[in-house]
Amino acid sequence: MTGFSAVRRQMLRRSRLMVVSPNRWRARLVFFLGALAIGAVSVLFAQMSDQAQLLFRQTFGGPGPSHWLPLLVTPLTFATLAFLADRYFPGSQGSGIPQAIAARHLQDDPKRGGFLTLRIAAGKILMTVTALAAGASVGREGPTVQIGAAIMVFAARIGGLRRVHGLILAGSAAGIAAAFNTPLAGIVFAIEEMSRSYQVRTNGLVLSAVIIAGVASLSLLGSYTYFGQSHATGTFPWDWLMVIVTGIAGGGLGGLFSLAALTLTTRFRRMRRLSRPARIALVGLGCGLVVAGAGLLSGGATFGTGYEEARGIIEGTPQPWSYFLLKFFATLASTVSGIPGGLFAPSLSVGAGLGGAIGSAFGASIGFAALIGMAAYFAGVVQAPFTTIVIVLEMTGSHASVTPIMAAAMIGFAVSRYISPVPLYHALARLWIADAIRQRRATHEAPPAR
């Protein structure tokens, strides 16, 4: 009994310390404010992105000479943004998810490679919005992960919070939850994609950040589903052949995207015949020209995130067969160009186009086939099937189709893993980790200034 009483007194003492300690309350307040800021910034970022796309469509979408201007404007904007990102905002390029993963692995680097700063976050927002205003096939959801993690790291610094490793995870999850209005997807994403494991010590941080950021987003935008409510369903067993075919096709195409993005990114980094600024500008120009060409060939459908096209397909309005192929190449070019921007929304749009095309060939419901295509292709690109399943279900409210969506995601994941064994985000994270290590060694080995 004496031992039990001692343990009880110790637990009461710790509980009392947690309740009355000013330092603990300050840390909690800073954490709460950081999570609220993630939700608010995510909403602002979303509205800026929507306005940027609207500006592009109003400027270049009509008939006349302006219809051809993207062939000039888009490549020049890509080259400029790639240069600015490399020179003034290093670490802001691409999605941002690989940088957040890399920062979690740089345990002995107090600056976490410099990937998660408010300066990088601000540059990420401004340049992603500018890219969308120039027609880039990028999304804002991946960048919101890096932005959310950067806000949490800043909160940790000013609030004296420990366990920065877990706070990066929490900020990343909150970013996904607020960007898509998918709280469950944020939690699953943190476990499956960011950490690749379940850590009991950080699950409370992740849950708290997701809830608080979600509340902030809901208070500003209200309750909504990203692609609206979908009630499309398939019939058993007639539509299951289509599910299997779409799963294989989506996983194969997603695996090819992942392999191509990693291969091209690596080769562009190793180009040594040109100076670094010239190489970056040349790659940006070339990729921008591909994006502009795909946009013109598709009648403007492949410009931007692809949200409207994907939603239309889900609602039963199919796109031409060429749409998903042109969107595939536009997204690949935007991803490897060196400009900031994510691939979540464009990838979902590619998947919806692929599913809709296969569904029309099988005589299946276009909306149902689009959901299957989204699950298969997106799981093939990111190789995170459980995150894919939850994202598709929460974004569309299509719980009646949960079983075929799960099957398509798992098939797509398996096929993609055979084509590209290393997940794209983690393979890119290794490149960022290597860059941070080289930069740190060069700084330490540099001779002192005289």
Side-chain angles (χ1 to χ4, degrees):
M1 294 297 294
T2 304
F4 176 77
S5 299
V7 172
R8 185 169 178 270
R9 285 196 300 271
Q10 186 177 9
M11 292 178 63
L12 289 173
R13 193 181 304 115
R14 287 181 178 178
S15 299
R16 192 179 299 113
L17 179 63
M18 292 181 67
V19 172
V20 302
S21 172
N23 290 334
R24 288 185 180 272
W25 275 110
R26 184 186 68 174
R28 289 172 185 163
L29 179 61
V30 171
F31 175 80
F32 293 155
L33 291 175
L36 285 172
I38 292 173
V41 171
S42 299
V43 171
L44 177 63
F45 189 19
Q47 293 177 341
M48 292 172 64
S49 299
D50 291 343
Q51 291 300 314
Q53 290 191 96
L54 180 61
L55 175 64
F56 177 84
R57 294 184 184 277
Q58 289 177 342
T59 305
F60 305 109
S66 63
H67 178 72
W68 299 96
L69 279 179
L71 288 172
L72 178 64
V73 173
T74 303
L76 290 177
T77 303
F78 269 50
T80 303
L81 291 177
F83 172 79
L84 292 175
D86 181 75
R87 180 66 182 273
Y88 299 104
F89 302 97
S92 66
Q93 297 93 328
S95 166
I97 295 176
Q99 291 92 314
I101 295 173
R104 294 187 72 245
H105 286 82
L106 294 172
Q107 299 275 13
D108 56 342
D109 187 348
K111 295 184 178 180
R112 303 278 170 171
F115 303 141
L116 302 180
T117 65
L118 292 186
R119 182 170 179 269
I120 293 295
K124 190 93 174 181
I125 292 173
L126 294 176
M127 288 188 289
T128 301
V129 170
T130 303
L132 287 170
S137 181
V138 297
R140 56 176 172 79
E141 294 78 20
T144 307
V145 169
Q146 186 178 14
I147 294 164
I151 291 174
M152 273 302 176
V153 170
F154 177 75
R157 188 178 301 116
I158 65 174
L161 300 174
R162 298 180 181 179
R163 298 198 335 217
V164 177
H165 191 264
L167 289 170
I168 294 174
L169 197 67
S172 301
I176 284 291
F180 279 124
N181 189 33
T182 52
L184 290 179
I187 296 169
V188 176
F189 171 81
I191 296 171
E192 183 181 31
E193 185 63 26
M194 288 295 297
S195 68
R196 293 276 163 174
S197 64
Y198 183 75
Q199 300 173 339
V200 176
R201 291 185 300 172
T202 59
N203 66 341
L205 291 175
V206 172
L207 289 170
S208 300
V210 166
I211 292 171
I212 296 169
V215 168
S217 176
L218 287 174
S219 64
L220 294 172
L221 294 179
S223 180
Y224 69 98
T225 49
Y226 193 84
F227 286 119
Q229 291 284 338
S230 174
H231 302 289
T233 57
T235 57
F236 182 85
W238 310 113
D239 286 335
W240 273 89
L241 177 60
M242 185 272 295
V243 171
I244 295 172
V245 171
T246 305
I248 295 172
L253 193 63
L256 288 175
F257 179 94
S258 180
L259 183 63
L262 181 60
T263 302
L264 290 173
T265 300
T266 304
R267 289 185 178 180
F268 289 158
R269 282 169 168 250
R270 292 175 179 174
M271 290 173 59
R272 295 290 183 265
R273 295 183 179 180
L274 300 173
S275 65
R276 184 181 179 94
R279 168 174 57 85
I280 290 170
L282 183 61
V283 170
L285 280 171
C287 291
L289 191 60
V290 171
V291 172
L296 292 179
L297 289 174
S298 66
T302 61
F303 287 125
T305 63
Y307 165 80
E308 293 180 0
E309 288 74 19
R311 181 160 186 164
I313 299 171
I314 292 171
E315 292 175 349
T317 304
Q319 289 281 343
W321 271 78
S322 59
Y323 170 74
F324 75 85
L325 289 174
L326 292 171
K327 188 65 175 175
F328 173 91
F329 287 111
T331 305
L332 178 62
S334 298
T335 300
V336 303
S337 66
I339 68 172
L343 52 83
F344 270 51
S347 295
L348 291 169
S349 187
V350 172
L354 173 66
I358 296 176
S360 63
F362 275 83
S365 165
I366 299 299
F368 172 72
L371 298 177
I372 302 304
M374 289 167 66
Y377 179 75
F378 191 68
V381 171
V382 301
Q383 294 188 7
F386 298 110
T387 300
T388 299
I389 293 166
V390 176
I391 281 181
V392 173
L393 291 177
E394 284 196 286
M395 285 193 313
T396 60
S398 54
H399 300 288
S401 303
V402 60
T403 302
I405 287 173
M406 291 174 64
M410 296 307 297
I411 293 172
F413 165 70
V415 174
S416 174
R417 199 64 179 264
Y418 180 79
I419 297 172
S420 181
V422 181
L424 176 61
Y425 287 141
H426 289 263
L428 294 175
R430 294 176 184 176
L431 298 179
W432 288 110
I433 292 171
D435 286 348
I437 293 174
R438 280 194 296 268
Q439 185 177 6
R440 187 170 55 192
R441 287 176 179 174
T443 302
H444 290 330
E445 294 174 0
R450 296 183 179 178

